[in-house]
Amino acid sequence: MSQTLAHDDAPVTASKTADSKRELVAQAVTINRPAQELYDFWREFPNLALVMENIVSIEALDRNRSHWVVRAPGGRTVEWDSLVTKDVPGREITWQSEGDADVANSGRIVFEEVPGRGTVVTATIAYEPPAGAIGKIVAKVLQREPNVQARRDLRRFKQLMETGEIATNARTLRMLAEENT
């Protein structure tokens, strides 16, 4: 189990407490919706299970704390409690894992409205890969690498916010039932 990452007031991309074990992921997408609407959806953390494919569950413990259960490579799950460390309504949410997290992490999501284009949503995440460098390689081979996942998750968030649904080529349970009748 990893220790909680030390917190400073700098954004994760400029943190002086970062060490060589931490990996950094940064992805952005432009969504044709108002920043406040996107922030409101994201701020209700259980909603994120709708767009993040590796999320098993997110339980809100209170307004600023939540418990995350996430699928990891090899068919196992990892868990942590997350604390919101900065919240600027309509603009930014910064968080930090707490206690004895399976995957120590911190990050920030920023919603920046661009006139005539919608909102640029930027996610920046720092994390300690489980099993270090070997775990990072396994995740990459299994396409569970956080940089790839963040890009896919933001794309699904864009689809849901702009169209009300997430396009998929997977068969739904309803479709399978109809085929078998």
Side-chain angles (χ1 to χ4, degrees):
M1 302 274 179
S2 301
Q3 296 294 319
T4 300
L5 300 175
H7 174 72
D8 64 24
D9 290 335
V12 290
T13 55
S15 174
K16 293 180 180 167
T17 61
D19 61 42
S20 61
K21 294 180 192 174
R22 288 176 59 175
E23 295 292 326
L24 188 64
V25 171
Q27 293 288 332
V29 66
T30 302
I31 302 175
N32 192 18
R33 305 300 297 168
Q36 186 67 50
E37 182 180 330
L38 301 175
Y39 166 90
D40 290 343
F41 179 91
W42 199 280
R43 188 60 176 87
E44 293 301 320
F45 300 121
N47 285 341
L48 299 179
L50 298 171
V51 295
M52 296 180 173
E53 76 179 350
N54 287 329
I55 300 295
V56 174
S57 65
I58 302 170
E59 176 188 357
L61 302 174
D62 60 38
R63 179 73 180 147
N64 291 316
R65 293 180 60 246
S66 52
H67 181 77
W68 293 60
V69 180
V70 178
R71 279 183 215 83
R76 60 188 193 92
T77 59
V78 292
E79 299 184 35
W80 64 84
D81 288 341
S82 183
L83 173 68
V84 172
T85 57
K86 183 177 181 183
D87 187 357
V88 181
R91 294 263 316 135
E92 176 183 344
I93 304 166
T94 303
W95 72 90
Q96 171 89 31
S97 62
E98 292 187 301
D100 200 14
D102 289 344
V103 178
N105 66 86
S106 62
R108 179 172 79 164
I109 184 125
V110 175
F111 306 90
E112 184 178 351
E113 221 161 294
V114 179
R117 293 195 57 219
T119 302
V120 176
V121 179
T122 304
T124 307
I125 304 162
Y127 71 100
E128 291 182 20
I134 293 171
K136 185 178 173 185
I137 291 167
V138 169
K140 192 168 195 159
V141 168
L142 298 175
Q143 294 194 5
R144 296 286 186 207
E145 196 265 329
N147 206 27
V148 172
Q149 285 305 127
R151 186 174 62 245
R152 290 176 181 169
D153 291 344
L154 284 176
R155 188 177 309 129
R156 279 191 296 281
F157 182 48
K158 175 182 175 75
Q159 288 176 1
L160 183 63
M161 294 293 93
E162 288 182 349
T163 69
E165 62 185 9
I166 298 171
T168 178
N169 62 356
R171 289 187 168 143
T172 65
L173 292 175
R174 190 186 96 234
M175 291 168 72
L176 289 171
E178 289 172 358
E179 288 175 6
N180 292 328
T181 56

